[in-house]
Amino acid sequence: MTRVALFISGGGSNMLSLVESMTGDHPARPCLVLSNRADAGGLAKAEALGIATEVVDHRPHKGDRAAFETELQSVLMRHSPDLICLAGFMRVLTEGFTSQWEGRMLNIHPSLLPKYKGLHTHQRALDAGDTEAGCTVHEVTAKLDDGPILGQARVPVEADDTAETLAARVLAQEHILYPAVLKRFVSGDKTPLYLP
Ligand code: GRF
């Protein structure tokens, strides 16, 4: 059984979708929900589901990413995960950490990579006049939002969309795409999945 650690920074809706998918004959189970913020709403949701939680606050290490990641790694090891799913985790991880988890760390990004790496993806798609948008699950490498693509889901952009309405449409697809990609990945299937 593959043990999955999920990293969050906020509400954790993607974490919840992933946790709810890991049941029955699914070859993985959540072993930890970790956040860099003690006030992340997703922590209470994980606790309510009986999942171990940890907080590793990045602020005491201000500017020293390596020190934050050293603490992250030592907390993580207490839970012996086989795989990490970044799910709304808003800290950039350095090569020192990503290299230790190469091939064993996934992320979901709210754009159709390689377009719109980084932040404010929905507003950037609207500003560019894109007619479609979406989300991408990819393996995490040292380069931000750049690893091998494992899946994408596309949504139409509506004429009256705001960043908020588009984000909500994409988020609904994230909750479908990420669990589907995770199940394939832990079953050894890395062929990219494209929805719809
Ligand atoms: C989502 O848009 C996800 O794509 C991005 O973080 C946002 C919040 O996700 N990585 P969640 O509701 O905390 O899972």
Side-chain angles (χ1 to χ4, degrees):
M1 188 67 78
T2 300
R3 295 169 60 83
V4 178
L6 303 112
F7 286 16
I8 65 171
S9 295
S13 71
N14 274 288
M15 174 273 295
L16 211 50
S17 301
L18 289 166
V19 164
E20 288 168 352
S21 75
M22 289 186 265
T23 57
D25 66 353
H26 192 299
R29 288 294 184 276
C31 69
L32 172 66
V33 171
L34 180 146
S35 181
N36 63 302
R37 297 175 55 103
D39 63 350
L43 290 170
K45 296 171 189 170
E47 283 156 16
L49 292 167
I51 301 168
T53 61
E54 296 276 5
V55 174
V56 180
D57 191 337
H58 63 281
R59 289 170 304 180
H61 306 291
K62 52 183 174 300
D64 185 349
R65 290 185 187 279
F68 167 62
E69 292 172 355
T70 299
E71 186 184 351
L72 195 54
Q73 189 70 4
S74 66
V75 168
L76 201 49
M77 284 302 104
R78 292 207 290 266
H79 298 269
S80 317
D82 303 302
L83 181 68
I84 296 173
C85 285
L86 305 181
F89 187 65
M90 304 310 276
R91 302 301 300 170
V92 172
L93 296 164
T94 72
E95 183 161 15
F97 188 86
T98 62
S99 59
Q100 296 181 57
W101 290 92
E102 190 93 31
R104 301 188 295 151
M105 182 156 57
L106 308 184
N107 180 47
I108 187 154
H109 180 76
S111 80
L112 294 173
L113 292 173
K115 292 180 81 170
Y116 312 131
K117 297 177 183 178
L119 298 173
H120 313 302
T121 60
H122 305 302
Q123 191 57 55
R124 290 157 68 189
L126 292 174
D127 294 347
D130 292 355
T131 55
E132 69 173 10
C135 51
T136 302
V137 176
H138 63 94
E139 289 189 52
V140 176
T141 58
K143 281 183 70 178
L144 185 67
D145 301 330
D146 190 77
I149 289 177
L150 294 170
Q152 291 192 315
R154 293 173 187 282
V155 300
V157 175
E158 307 295 353
D160 58 349
D161 263 332
T162 62
E164 292 70 28
T165 58
L166 181 54
R169 190 173 309 123
V170 172
L171 192 61
Q173 292 302 309
E174 294 178 29
H175 298 160
I176 297 166
L177 179 69
Y178 211 168
V181 168
L182 174 64
K183 189 164 190 177
R184 287 156 69 97
F185 189 83
V186 296
S187 308
D189 179 1
K190 291 191 177 184
T191 52
L193 172 67
Y194 292 101
L195 304 177

